[in-house]
Amino acid sequence: MTSPLTPAEDAALVAAIRAAEVQTSGEIRVHLEDTCPTPEPLDRAAQVFGELNMHKTAARNGVLFYLAWQSRQFAVVGDSAINAAVPDDFWETTKEAVLEQFRGEKYVVGLERGIRMVGEQLKRYFPYNAATDENELDDAISFGGDKPSSDA
């Protein structure tokens, strides 16, 4: 897959992740791919969550933003501890805030907004502790979906 992001956009998203994570023990990742290989993007987001070992954080408080940019599919998924802590409508509210920007083709702005929203909740429920916290997952944007369904 070729990245739909310019280097500046990629850097802006990584900066947003780092700004959110500096206040929490939580971990945030963004994964982009061309098209979603499953009927439901939430199912694919859960698969990618596992592939990126996001379920292996000590506090089970990782959050993944998944975007299949060509097929225009998006999902956000959180691990068990953050999922149990946030209000019931949090994921849907976050998704809608991101999609509101996507509708205006402001993809980076949308993801930054979602990352800020998640960061606020992670800070509230999983505040940063200098004595114990470490960055458990790479902050870089991950990419996938470059494997065609029928390899020649």
Side-chain angles (χ1 to χ4, degrees), residues 50-121:
E51 290 169 7
L52 295 175
N53 291 318
M54 294 186 67
H55 59 289
K56 293 185 178 181
T57 61
R60 299 298 301 261
N61 57 1
V63 177
L64 175 68
F65 289 85
Y66 169 82
L67 174 61
W69 68 280
Q70 285 182 344
S71 58
R72 302 174 66 98
Q73 293 171 289
F74 172 75
V76 59
V77 63
D79 206 343
S80 58
I82 184 64
N83 193 47
V86 296
D88 291 340
D89 66 344
F90 176 71
W91 300 115
E92 189 62 29
T93 302
T94 302
K95 179 182 161 186
E96 280 307 311
V98 173
L99 290 175
E100 179 182 331
Q101 296 300 314
F102 283 10
R103 288 181 194 105
E105 298 187 9
K106 297 177 183 173
Y107 301 105
V108 174
V109 171
L111 288 169
E112 288 173 326
R113 178 184 246 181
I115 290 165
R116 275 193 307 277
M117 291 173 74
V118 165
E120 289 167 8
Q121 294 300 306

Side-chain angles (χ1 to χ4, degrees), residues 132-144:
T132 59
D133 287 344
E134 64 180 70
N135 192 7
E136 297 176 84
L137 300 173
D138 193 345
D139 296 333
I141 310 305
S142 61
F143 298 93

Side-chain angles (χ1 to χ4, degrees), residues 18-33:
R18 289 181 177 154
E21 287 184 359
V22 77
Q23 302 177 56
T24 177
S25 65
E27 297 290 335
I28 301 170
R29 298 282 321 253
V30 173
H31 182 83
L32 303 176
E33 55 189 19

